[in-house]
Amino acid sequence: MRQSGIILHPTSLPSSGGIGTLGDAAYAFVDFLAEAQQQLWQVLPLGPTDEGHSPYMCTSAFAGNPLLIDLDRLRNDGWLAAEEIYDRPPSGPKVDFPAVLTFKTRCFAAAHRGFRDNASAHHRGEFEAFCREEADWLDDFSLFTALREAHQGAPWWTWELSLRRREADALQQARSEHAELIDRICFEQWVFFRQWHALHRYANTRGISIIGDMPIFVASNSADVWANQPIFQLDENGHRTVVAGVPPDYFSPTGQLWGNPLYRWDVLAERNYDWWVNRFRALLRMVDKCRIDHFRGFESFWEVPSDSPTAMTGRWVPGPGRALFDAVREQLGELPLIAEDLGIITEAVEQLRVALGLPGMKVLQFAFDGDPTNLHLPHNHHANAVVYPGTHDNNTIVGWYQELGAEAGDQLRLYFAIDGRDIAWQMLTAAWSSVADTAIASMQDLLSLGGEARMNTPGLSQGNWAWRLLYWQVNSTLALRLRELTRRFARAADQVIRPRPDA
C-alpha cells in the first residue's frame, strides 16, 4: 500500500511553555495530517533525555520523556492549580532546555502534591496498577533517577560501591531514603503514558499511524546499563571497555564516536535476548511501526577502544544477526519495522534486511554523487522502501541545496528537469512520485525552511534538537497543497492501486 507522512518530534510542536507537549497542539497536528490525507506521523525516540537533550541518548529505553507532559491537562485533571503554572519559558523558535527543565520540575512537584491530596479513588487505582504492571523497568528507573539527583547528576559508576554493584541492602535503604522523590518520578511516568496513549488512540481514529524510533544502543549513564550490567561490555568498576561509533562517513571525516557501551551478545543469546524482547514489546505498545536506528549494527558493529579520541581506531565485530529477530518474533509475532540501513552497507547487511522482509531507507540528499547506480536515485528505488528527501540528521532541503556544489547541483536539476526555485517541494514531489511504498518528509522541508531549522548535525554536541514549529505555520493552505501532491501520486488511503490481471 502506498502511503506518506511527516517527521515531527513532539518537542518541536508549538505550545506555551517553551517546548512541544502532548497537548492541544499535538492533536491539532494529527488533524492537520488527516486533512492533508497523510497516513503516517514519524517521531524520534520518546525517552527521557540527558544533559545533551538528544533523544538518542536517553536515561531509559523504556521510560517516557516527562518534558512532553502537557501541564494544562494536569490542571484540567485537578492536580495542578492555574496559579502554580507561572514563569513559563518563552515560546520562541528554539527550545531552551535548561529553562524548560527548571520550570517543569517545579510544576511536576506541585502536580504530584495535588494528586496525593485530590486524586479520586479511580485515578489512584490507575496509578497503582501502572506501577505494578511496569515494575520490571519502572522500579529501576525511578530509583536510578532519584539516586542520580542525589549525586548531583554524577554518573552511576562514580557512586558508592554498594550502589554501583546494586547490593540489596543498599538499594533497599536508598528506596526508603528517597521514597517521596521515587513516587513523584513514577507519577510523572504514569502521566506521560496516560497522555501519550490518549494521543496515540486519537491519531489512530483519524487514520494516522505513528512510527516510533528505537536506537540500537543505549546511553552509558542510564537505568538500562546500571540495572543490567551483565549484558554490557563493562569492567568490574562499571566503566566501558569498548564503545560504539561508526568509521569515517558522509557526516564526519573522523567517523562518529557515539560512546555508548556495547552489548555482550553472547550473554544475551544465552538469555534468549530477553531484554530485547521486553524492549520491543514496550515500544510496540506505544507506536504502530518502529524504525530501527543503525540496523547495520545487528549484522556487524564498529567497536572502538574506550580511550580512543575518535572513531577512526576501531574494528567491525559480528552482531547477533537474524537470531535476535527470530527470538523476538517467536514471542511477539511479526514486527512492523523499518530498517535504517544508511552508511557503510555491505552485502551481508542487505541480505539480513531482505531475509527479514524489512523495508530500508532511501534518502534523496545522498543520491547525487555522479554514479547512476546510486541506490538513492529514484530510478533505483523499489517498492519495499521508505524514501525521504532528507532525515532529521540531514540539513533541510533548502539548506542542503544552498551548500550543494555546482556539479552536484547541475546533476540534480538535470535529473529532475527542475530549476531549483522551489527546491523543497520539487524534492518532495520526487519522493512522493517514487515507486517506494512509503514517502516521508520533515516538517521543515514541508515549510521550505533553511538550515537554521535543522534538527541535528551529527558530530556536533551543541545546538541540536531545539527547532520548534510556530502556530501560524500549520494551516489549511499547506494541508491542501500536501493533499494534492499525495493524491497525485496515489498515496492517500482511499487510493488503492490494483495489479494488472497479467502482472
Side-chain angles (χ1 to χ4, degrees):
M1 179 180 72
R2 287 174 66 78
Q3 54 188 342
S4 59
I6 299 298
I7 311 173
L8 180 73
H9 196 50
T11 56
S12 296
L13 287 163
S15 71
S16 59
I19 194 170
T21 74
L22 307 179
D24 290 347
Y27 287 79
F29 183 68
V30 169
D31 292 340
F32 166 80
L33 292 175
E35 184 181 1
Q37 295 191 351
Q38 302 310 289
Q39 300 181 61
L40 301 169
W41 177 8
Q42 182 173 334
V43 299
L44 306 183
L46 294 165
T49 57
D50 210 331
E51 288 86 355
H53 315 297
S54 168
Y56 293 90
M57 282 288 191
C58 293
T59 58
S60 170
F62 295 84
N65 187 351
L67 295 184
L68 294 174
I69 291 173
D70 185 68
L71 299 179
D72 292 327
R73 276 167 165 69
L74 287 178
R75 186 193 62 204
N76 294 339
D77 288 326
W79 308 328
L80 186 64
E83 59 269 22
E84 291 173 312
I85 311 175
Y86 59 87
D87 291 339
R88 292 182 188 245
S91 293
K94 299 285 185 180
V95 179
D96 182 343
F97 284 103
V100 168
L101 181 61
T102 299
F103 165 67
K104 287 213 161 180
T105 299
R106 172 174 55 77
C107 290
F108 293 151
H112 181 232
R113 291 192 298 270
F115 175 79
R116 288 188 307 180
D117 295 341
N118 305 315
S120 66
H122 172 72
H123 285 139
R124 290 179 193 277
E126 275 191 3
F127 173 54
E128 292 167 2
F130 171 82
C131 291
R132 287 193 305 272
E133 292 164 4
E134 306 298 331
D136 283 350
W137 65 266
L138 184 61
D139 287 355
D140 287 321
F141 171 73
S142 57
L143 178 57
F144 171 84
T145 306
L147 285 170
R148 194 161 175 256
E149 184 169 320
H151 289 83
Q152 291 77 49
W156 66 265
W157 53 88
T158 66
W159 299 349
E160 301 89 323
L161 186 62
S162 59
L163 291 174
R164 291 204 309 263
R165 294 181 175 174
R166 296 176 52 83
E167 295 175 5
D169 289 346
L171 296 186
Q172 184 58 42
Q173 181 180 347
R175 291 186 193 283
S176 177
E177 289 178 2
H178 304 291
E180 182 173 354
L181 178 54
I182 288 171
D183 192 67
R184 194 197 83 200
I185 293 164
C186 292
F187 168 73
E188 292 171 4
Q189 288 302 305
W190 173 61
V191 171
F192 169 86
F193 281 100
R194 191 166 176 259
Q195 292 191 359
W196 173 260
H197 289 310
L199 176 62
H200 185 196
R201 287 192 297 270
Y202 181 76
N204 287 169
T205 65
R206 299 301 318 268
I208 309 298
S209 296
I210 296 180
I211 301 176
D213 198 317
M214 179 185 284
I216 181 174
F217 300 118
V218 297
S220 298
N221 194 22
S222 66
D224 308 297
V225 180
W226 176 64
N228 301 279
Q229 295 173 47
I231 69 173
F232 295 95
Q233 297 195 46
L234 310 172
D235 65 19
E236 64 276 7
N237 294 313
H239 297 122
R240 299 158 294 179
T241 56
V242 288
V243 297
V246 289
D249 62 4
Y250 172 89
F251 293 108
S252 172
T254 60
Q256 298 178 50
L257 187 63
W258 297 332
N260 310 75
L262 294 172
Y263 298 102
R264 296 186 186 274
W265 286 115
D266 56 338
V267 173
L268 281 160
E270 291 171 0
R271 294 165 44 165
N272 202 28
Y273 303 100
D274 56 348
W275 183 82
W276 274 95
V277 171
N278 291 335
R279 192 178 177 195
F280 272 105
R281 180 185 291 115
L283 182 57
L284 292 173
R285 287 203 306 256
M286 295 180 65
V287 299
D288 303 293
K289 300 181 181 182
C290 174
R291 171 188 177 271
I292 303 295
D293 190 51
H294 198 58
F295 173 78
R296 77 137 303 142
F298 293 105
E299 191 281 323
S300 58
F301 53 90
W302 190 245
E303 178 186 276
V304 184
S306 59
D307 59 354
S308 178
T310 74
M312 297 179 73
T313 304
R315 61 172 187 152
W316 290 109
V317 179
R322 183 165 183 167
L324 165 65
F325 294 93
D326 287 344
V328 176
R329 283 173 165 174
E330 183 179 343
Q331 297 192 52
L332 303 183
E334 285 302 309
L335 303 174
L337 306 179
I338 298 168
E340 185 271 285
D341 56 347
L342 306 176
I344 302 172
I345 302 303
T346 64
E347 183 63 28
V349 177
E350 181 67 4
Q351 288 175 356
L352 176 61
R353 183 191 66 78
V354 171
L356 294 171
L358 304 183
M361 291 174 54
K362 307 299 179 187
V363 180
L364 296 184
Q365 286 193 27
F366 296 153
F368 298 96
D369 60 359
D371 180 2
T373 68
N374 185 313
L375 296 178
H376 297 282
L377 284 167
H379 68 262
N380 293 319
H381 292 181
H382 50 81
N384 192 29
V386 184
V387 57
Y388 298 79
T391 74
H392 65 274
D393 283 331
N394 294 97
N395 202 344
T396 66
I397 289 295
V398 170
W400 166 77
Y401 183 68
Q402 289 171 343
E403 297 175 352
L404 201 60
E407 184 176 352
D410 287 342
Q411 292 174 19
L412 167 70
R413 290 183 291 272
L414 179 62
Y415 184 90
F416 289 123
I418 59 175
D419 58 15
R421 294 180 185 177
D422 189 14
I423 188 61
W425 275 81
Q426 288 169 336
M427 293 290 274
L428 257 71
T429 300
W432 260 238
S433 66
S434 167
V435 296
D437 285 338
T438 303
I440 298 177
S442 72
M443 194 66 197
Q444 292 95 314
D445 289 338
L446 199 65
L447 295 168
S448 298
L449 299 180
E452 74 284 351
R454 183 170 185 165
M455 191 63 168
N456 180 47
T457 303
L460 293 184
S461 59
Q462 302 294 324
N464 295 320
W465 316 112
W467 176 77
R468 296 195 66 201
L469 186 64
L470 303 176
Y471 281 107
W472 61 267
Q473 291 176 310
V474 182
N475 53 57
S476 291
T477 300
L478 185 65
L480 175 61
R481 188 178 185 188
L482 181 56
R483 182 169 70 242
E484 289 176 342
L485 180 68
T486 300
R487 297 198 67 82
R488 188 188 316 159
F489 296 109
R491 293 191 180 276
D494 63 338
Q495 294 177 295
V496 179
I497 297 178
R498 295 173 176 79
R500 295 182 337 207
D502 59 343

